[in-house]
Amino acid sequence: MNTRSIRFRLTLWYAGLLATLLILFGASVYIGLRHYLRSHLTDSLTKEAQQIGETLLVNISLSGEKYVSDEIEEHLAPEINGVFIRVTRHNETTLYESGQPRDGSFDPRKITPARVDLPETATRVERMPGGTDLMVCSVPYTTREGNSFVIEAGAPLKQSESVLHGLLVTFAVGLPLVVAVAIAGGYVVMRRALKPVGEITRTA
């Protein structure tokens, strides 16, 4: 193969352009999917925290705090589902805190408490000692009687990260194959397209 020929240079340029476009496309897909997965998880956790306030804390003066804890354990089952839930009173004491999940992915006691004077819903990502990243949504809630609480709901990002890791593996395996096939096809096309030019050159 003549590396100085027009055919080789055009094929190389075509392969470089294709590889660049595929890398940019893959990066945009990765970033878009990452944003979507995190936004979906954030919305889910926020709604879960709001539901605790609107269905359990709303009548806490009548139902009592034990009822709130029992309902969270029964209907949300944080330890079984591998999620984190904590309800904090306005005086920074804990009304409820879920236990360690069965898979041992994080320790709820090591999660930094949210501010009790939180003005609005806030979201943060915490890195646990074991390396687990936890998405935590904190929602302030005030009852009709004026009792203020902060409800925190969290879940590990490992499921989202595994999806993104699978996407990266797919790109890492598929991208070289696509570029290789494109180079081979482009070289054949260039060879046929430039064949008359080669014949004219040899004749001259």
Side-chain angles (χ1 to χ4, degrees):
M1 181 184 297
N2 185 4
T3 57
R4 295 184 179 182
S5 65
I6 297 177
R7 181 166 57 240
F8 178 82
R9 292 180 181 180
L10 286 176
T11 303
L12 189 63
W13 180 86
Y14 169 74
L17 178 62
L18 179 63
T20 301
L21 292 176
L22 288 175
I23 290 173
L24 291 176
F25 173 75
S28 63
V29 170
Y30 179 88
I31 294 173
L33 181 60
R34 183 175 184 268
H35 176 73
Y36 169 78
L37 292 174
R38 293 207 170 193
S39 297
H40 180 73
L41 180 60
T42 299
D43 292 342
S44 177
L45 293 173
T46 301
K47 289 178 181 177
E48 190 170 81
Q50 290 173 343
Q51 185 179 15
I52 291 174
E54 294 168 0
T55 60
L56 299 179
L57 296 178
V58 63
N59 293 319
I60 192 172
S61 58
L62 299 176
S63 59
E65 294 183 351
K66 186 177 184 305
Y67 171 79
V68 174
S69 300
D70 291 342
E71 287 295 298
I72 293 176
E73 287 289 340
E74 181 179 351
H75 295 289
L76 298 180
E79 291 85 359
I80 297 175
N81 294 320
V83 297
F84 163 73
I85 296 176
R86 180 165 57 201
V87 181
T88 307
R89 305 180 186 92
H90 68 281
N91 58 2
E92 298 185 357
T93 58
T94 303
L95 186 155
Y96 173 84
E97 183 177 84
S98 57
Q100 188 169 2
R102 292 184 177 180
D103 59 4
S105 56
F106 62 89
D107 185 354
R109 296 172 298 179
K110 298 186 181 300
I111 299 175
T112 307
R115 293 167 41 200
V116 293
D117 59 344
L118 197 67
E120 58 185 11
T121 299
T123 304
R124 67 185 189 275
V125 176
E126 286 208 20
R127 171 63 62 89
M128 296 290 97
T132 300
D133 287 332
L134 200 73
M135 176 76 75
V136 182
C137 294
S138 305
V139 177
Y141 181 81
T142 303
T143 65
R144 289 189 293 267
E145 292 80 8
N147 298 318
S148 299
F149 302 90
V150 173
I151 310 161
E152 296 173 88
L157 288 170
K158 60 182 180 181
Q159 188 171 7
S160 300
E161 296 299 328
S162 64
V163 174
L164 294 174
H165 177 71
L167 181 63
L168 285 178
V169 171
T170 301
F171 280 142
V173 174
L175 182 61
L177 293 176
V178 172
V179 173
V181 172
I183 290 175
Y187 185 80
V188 172
V189 171
M190 294 294 178
R191 185 176 181 179
R192 291 182 178 179
L194 296 176
K195 187 177 180 180
V197 177
E199 293 177 351
I200 293 174
T201 302
R202 286 192 296 272
T203 301

